[in-house]
Amino acid sequence: MPSASRMTTPVTVDEAQARRQAGPDTSAAVAKLIRFLETGSAPEGLFAPGAFSDLSLPQWRVQAGTAGDILAIRAEGHPWPGQVRVERVEQTGHGFTIEFEERWENGGQRWYCREMIRADVAGGSIVELSIFCTGDWDEARQREHAGAVRLIRP
């Protein structure tokens, strides 16, 4: 039997929805994050100075403990501007989740990746990110995938 500290009380759908709605307003943080992903330039206040991020790639994992380190990881690993197509954004009790794809050009090719981010927001700035990325697909990988798999949704 689980200990009392590990036991949870069941939550109704209405209670879960109320908890999500009670979270911080994240619309500005979401818009700033998308602008950052598309341009590589971080709008003021996007990340809190001591923001933490945990980036999981198919075969690698990288963490950062400051806003500056988050920006450096992005600049080093993905410096090209591009387009973001948002598939879903959901408000949470602490911030938001966002599911999206990115497309950009580099080396004469069109590249692609899919990502999901869970972001905690405080005072309008992102204080913590957990990022899951498919990795960058070049045109050959995209063609291979299109020839092997029929997606039901884009």
Side-chain angles (χ1 to χ4, degrees), residues 6 10 45 48 51 63-64 69 82 88 94 108 110 119 136 143:
R6 290 186 135 307
Q63 294 182 340
D69 289 346
R88 186 175 189 149
H94 300 282
R110 293 276 302 155
D136 299 346
R143 280 191 304 273

Short mmCIF file of all heavy atoms in Angstrom, two decimals, residues 6 10 45 48 51 63-64 69 82 88 94 108 110 119 136 143:
data_model
loop_
_atom_site.label_atom_id
_atom_site.label_comp_id
_atom_site.label_asym_id
_atom_site.label_seq_id
_atom_site.Cartn_x
_atom_site.Cartn_y
_atom_site.Cartn_z
N ARG A 6 2.37 9.65 -0.69
CA ARG A 6 2.35 9.36 -2.11
C ARG A 6 0.93 9.18 -2.64
O ARG A 6 0.72 9.10 -3.83
CB ARG A 6 3.15 8.11 -2.42
CG ARG A 6 4.65 8.38 -2.24
CD ARG A 6 5.37 7.18 -2.70
NE ARG A 6 6.49 7.23 -3.52
CZ ARG A 6 6.69 7.84 -4.68
NH1 ARG A 6 5.81 8.58 -5.22
NH2 ARG A 6 7.80 7.71 -5.34
N PRO A 10 -8.37 11.69 -5.99
CA PRO A 10 -8.88 11.80 -7.35
C PRO A 10 -9.40 13.21 -7.62
O PRO A 10 -9.95 13.86 -6.74
CB PRO A 10 -10.03 10.78 -7.40
CG PRO A 10 -9.74 9.84 -6.27
CD PRO A 10 -9.02 10.64 -5.23
N GLY A 45 12.50 39.50 -21.61
CA GLY A 45 11.64 38.89 -20.62
C GLY A 45 11.16 37.50 -20.96
O GLY A 45 10.37 36.92 -20.21
N ALA A 48 13.42 33.92 -17.55
CA ALA A 48 13.93 34.46 -16.29
C ALA A 48 15.44 34.25 -16.28
O ALA A 48 15.94 33.30 -16.87
CB ALA A 48 13.27 33.75 -15.11
N ALA A 51 16.59 30.74 -15.47
CA ALA A 51 15.76 29.70 -16.10
C ALA A 51 16.55 28.41 -16.30
O ALA A 51 17.75 28.43 -16.57
CB ALA A 51 15.22 30.19 -17.44
N GLN A 63 21.35 20.20 -20.77
CA GLN A 63 20.67 21.05 -19.80
C GLN A 63 21.35 22.41 -19.71
O GLN A 63 22.55 22.53 -19.98
CB GLN A 63 20.65 20.40 -18.42
CG GLN A 63 19.81 19.14 -18.37
CD GLN A 63 19.76 18.54 -16.98
OE1 GLN A 63 20.59 18.80 -16.12
NE2 GLN A 63 18.74 17.71 -16.76
N ALA A 64 20.58 23.40 -19.32
CA ALA A 64 21.09 24.75 -19.11
C ALA A 64 20.48 25.29 -17.82
O ALA A 64 19.33 24.99 -17.51
CB ALA A 64 20.73 25.65 -20.28
N ASP A 69 22.60 30.57 -21.02
CA ASP A 69 22.97 29.22 -21.48
C ASP A 69 21.90 28.63 -22.40
O ASP A 69 22.22 27.92 -23.36
CB ASP A 69 23.20 28.29 -20.29
CG ASP A 69 24.47 28.62 -19.51
OD1 ASP A 69 25.32 29.38 -20.03
OD2 ASP A 69 24.60 28.12 -18.37
N GLY A 82 13.44 30.39 -39.23
CA GLY A 82 12.54 29.50 -39.96
C GLY A 82 11.09 29.78 -39.62
O GLY A 82 10.76 30.86 -39.12
N ARG A 88 -0.62 22.67 -31.18
CA ARG A 88 -1.44 22.71 -29.96
C ARG A 88 -0.71 23.47 -28.86
O ARG A 88 0.49 23.30 -28.67
CB ARG A 88 -1.70 21.28 -29.51
CG ARG A 88 -2.65 21.15 -28.37
CD ARG A 88 -2.91 19.67 -28.11
NE ARG A 88 -3.98 19.53 -27.15
CZ ARG A 88 -4.82 18.53 -27.14
NH1 ARG A 88 -4.72 17.58 -28.04
NH2 ARG A 88 -5.75 18.46 -26.23
N HIS A 94 0.91 25.65 -14.07
CA HIS A 94 2.18 26.35 -13.85
C HIS A 94 2.69 27.09 -15.07
O HIS A 94 3.69 27.78 -15.00
CB HIS A 94 3.26 25.35 -13.40
CG HIS A 94 2.92 24.65 -12.14
ND1 HIS A 94 3.04 25.24 -10.91
CD2 HIS A 94 2.44 23.41 -11.91
CE1 HIS A 94 2.65 24.38 -9.97
NE2 HIS A 94 2.27 23.27 -10.55
N GLY A 108 21.41 24.74 -48.48
CA GLY A 108 20.67 24.44 -49.70
C GLY A 108 19.55 23.42 -49.52
O GLY A 108 18.99 22.94 -50.51
N ARG A 110 15.88 22.16 -47.22
CA ARG A 110 14.79 22.48 -46.29
C ARG A 110 14.81 21.42 -45.20
O ARG A 110 14.72 20.23 -45.48
CB ARG A 110 13.44 22.46 -47.02
CG ARG A 110 13.24 23.54 -48.05
CD ARG A 110 12.79 24.86 -47.50
NE ARG A 110 11.53 24.73 -46.76
CZ ARG A 110 11.17 25.57 -45.81
NH1 ARG A 110 11.92 26.58 -45.47
NH2 ARG A 110 10.02 25.41 -45.17
N ALA A 119 6.51 24.28 -20.39
CA ALA A 119 7.15 25.48 -19.85
C ALA A 119 6.43 25.92 -18.58
O ALA A 119 5.21 26.02 -18.56
CB ALA A 119 7.13 26.61 -20.88
N ASP A 136 16.81 16.88 -36.13
CA ASP A 136 16.66 17.58 -37.39
C ASP A 136 16.66 16.60 -38.56
O ASP A 136 17.58 15.78 -38.68
CB ASP A 136 17.80 18.59 -37.56
CG ASP A 136 17.81 19.65 -36.47
OD1 ASP A 136 16.81 19.77 -35.75
OD2 ASP A 136 18.83 20.35 -36.35
N ARG A 143 12.03 12.56 -47.25
CA ARG A 143 11.56 11.73 -48.36
C ARG A 143 11.42 10.27 -47.93
O ARG A 143 10.45 9.59 -48.27
CB ARG A 143 12.52 11.83 -49.56
CG ARG A 143 12.34 13.06 -50.40
CD ARG A 143 13.12 13.01 -51.70
NE ARG A 143 14.55 12.77 -51.51
CZ ARG A 143 15.45 13.72 -51.29
NH1 ARG A 143 15.09 14.99 -51.24
NH2 ARG A 143 16.72 13.42 -51.13
#
